[in-house]
Amino acid sequence: MSHIILRPHQEDALSSMEENDLGKIILPTGAGKSIVFIKNTIEQFKSDIPQTVCVVAPRLLLAVQLSADYEKHISNAKYMHVHSGSRLKHYRTTKIEDIQEWHNIHKDHHKLIFTSYNSLKKVTESNIRVDVYHFDECHNSTKKNFFPHIEDAVKKADKKYFFTATPKNSAIPTKKPGMNITEVYGDMICNVPMTQMVDGGYVLPPLVVKKEVNVEESTDEMNNNLILSTLDEEGPKKVLIAAKSTKSIISLLTETDFSSQVKDRGYHLMHITAMHGAYIDGKEVKRDVFFKTLNEWGCDDEKKFVLLNYSILSEGINCTGLDCVIFMRNQGVIEMCQTIGRVIRLHKEDADRIASGELRVGDYKNYKKPHGLVVLPISDDKSKVIANAVESVIFKSFIKGEIISQEIEK
């Protein structure tokens, strides 16, 4: 097992887990919550009695990513995935009898199970003993079809911890699931505000740029010109486009000269959708190749790219090196925060210089990457409302240090 050096806020989160068997842990994007999961699991696996830890994620991509993160630090456990998909390194199943058999075969070993909220019911219905649950991005757990299995898991396990940056509460807890149902989610046992993350030098403040667009143009041409003007005027190297829809991505690529214009400016073009798959410079690739390339290019200062996506990359998935996001659509508060979180990570060189004392936290003029650029198109009253909503979220989170939560009313 490798040695893990914890940040102060990660130490606080772990201490709260040691003192409580149930609770909500609010860690903002960039806080490194996966390290908290892993360190807590390492502590659980020091027991002479075999322990089972189950990690629950909202997306299959994230479940696979978390599994790979755990493997870097934990080798004294057996791994299993309970969700759909293929091409996994570890054993995978969605059959209850297979889960039971696997758990019994490895009864003398520590065990790690990775599942999704959609497949959690397979784990709970198997009635295997799970000692600890880590619920990642747990605002997803409040969906009506997920919540009964969350309740079941909480009743059966000894320890259960709910992690999110953006809680989702219910306006009517007696009728609609929400994270303010303390019998299931417990109390808030740790809350790290975004201001603490910025002041500690762990994330960057966002810089908002509003750009006027020509409403007389077609939507495709308007989007094309917005992105290209951002590349020309702001000069970002690694750009995430939060597209309005899969259809809008395909239309931009087929109905304008966007691809050639991006190439002429020295940028690679990447796009990924659930419907059409993953592409790099016009060539279709496997998802694992796409994400491997994305993170390699993210770490390479010489590489410039534009990345089009609809929803897939907003939550949890590692996207190294992004320095700009362009909002092409309205988003809910939670997805908005998650999307902004993609671009506020420090440049590795800045992080290393801060750690060595060479660079002072907050001396942004000497940072290689001084901010995360957030570009908002302005065309009409509706777009102004969207821009104001984004600015309001940034003010509350990064200036006032408030928890950004969403209330479920319907």
Side-chain angles (χ1 to χ4, degrees), residues 11-284:
E11 291 275 14
D12 291 343
L14 279 166
S15 294
S16 71
M17 296 170 78
E18 291 171 0
E19 295 167 4
N20 299 273
D21 293 337
L22 169 67
K24 295 174 289 191
I25 298 170
I26 312 302
L27 293 176
T29 303
K33 65 180 180 299
S34 61
I35 291 297
V36 177
F37 298 163
I38 292 167
K39 181 62 175 175
N40 178 258
T41 302
I42 290 172
E43 295 303 312
Q44 298 298 325
F45 287 172
K46 288 180 179 178
S47 171
D48 293 332
I49 301 172
Q51 300 286 297
T52 299
V53 175
C54 183
V55 182
V56 189
R59 296 175 181 270
L60 305 188
L61 281 173
L62 185 52
V64 173
Q65 176 183 293
L66 285 168
S67 177
D69 290 342
Y70 271 72
E71 277 190 87
K72 296 173 184 175
H73 302 280
I74 298 176
S75 58
N76 65 333
K78 301 296 182 181
Y79 286 67
M80 175 173 67
H81 284 249
V82 179
H83 54 71
S84 59
S86 57
R87 295 170 60 86
L88 289 173
K89 177 179 179 180
H90 300 293
Y91 179 68
R92 182 195 64 79
T93 185
T94 54
K95 295 181 179 179
I96 290 173
E97 58 271 24
D98 290 345
I99 296 170
Q100 294 168 333
E101 182 180 20
W102 179 89
H103 193 268
N104 186 54
I105 288 172
H106 300 298
K107 64 181 183 296
D108 296 327
H109 297 85
H110 296 310
K111 293 170 282 295
L112 268 166
I113 300 173
F114 295 86
T115 190
S116 63
Y117 287 103
N118 192 55
S119 296
L120 174 62
K121 62 182 179 180
K122 298 294 186 179
V123 178
T124 59
E125 289 173 359
S126 73
N127 287 317
I128 63 170
R129 177 173 177 76
V130 175
D131 299 281
V132 183
Y133 275 102
H134 293 153
F135 295 97
D136 192 18
E137 308 291 1
C138 65
H139 48 272
N140 291 276
S141 68
T142 61
K143 291 182 180 179
K144 190 174 181 180
N145 56 324
F146 295 163
F147 187 71
H149 309 295
I150 299 294
E151 286 186 292
D152 195 16
V154 167
K155 289 176 184 176
K156 292 176 178 177
D158 291 337
K159 299 180 180 181
K160 38 269 170 174
Y161 305 107
F162 294 89
F163 291 80
T164 184
T166 47
K168 185 179 285 190
N169 299 320
S170 174
I172 316 171
T174 56
K175 295 184 178 180
K176 301 179 186 302
M179 289 179 59
N180 49 336
I181 301 176
T182 56
E183 309 91 81
V184 176
Y185 292 90
D187 296 320
M188 186 187 302
I189 59 176
C190 180
N191 170 31
V192 177
M194 183 61 84
T195 48
Q196 181 179 332
M197 295 290 295
V198 175
D199 293 344
Y202 302 117
V203 297
L204 297 166
L207 174 66
V208 175
V209 173
K210 296 179 180 179
K211 298 184 78 70
E212 296 281 347
V213 294
N214 186 354
V215 295
E216 296 181 0
E217 296 175 324
S218 69
T219 300
D220 292 329
E221 286 297 336
M222 190 168 64
N223 291 339
N224 185 21
N225 291 332
L226 169 66
I227 299 170
L228 295 179
S229 67
T230 299
L231 302 184
D232 293 341
E233 295 168 11
E234 311 302 332
K237 287 188 173 183
K238 307 177 196 301
V239 184
L240 174 67
I241 310 296
K244 184 176 181 180
S245 64
T246 296
K247 182 179 179 181
S248 71
I249 292 175
I250 302 305
S251 184
L252 175 66
L253 296 173
T254 57
E255 301 299 323
T256 73
D257 62 352
F258 178 72
S259 298
S260 60
Q261 289 280 4
V262 167
K263 182 179 180 181
D264 288 346
R265 287 165 169 77
Y267 288 80
H268 294 278
L269 180 58
M270 310 178 77
H271 59 96
I272 182 168
T273 63
M275 183 180 298
H276 298 285
Y279 289 78
I280 300 176
D281 292 330
K283 179 181 178 182
E284 185 172 14

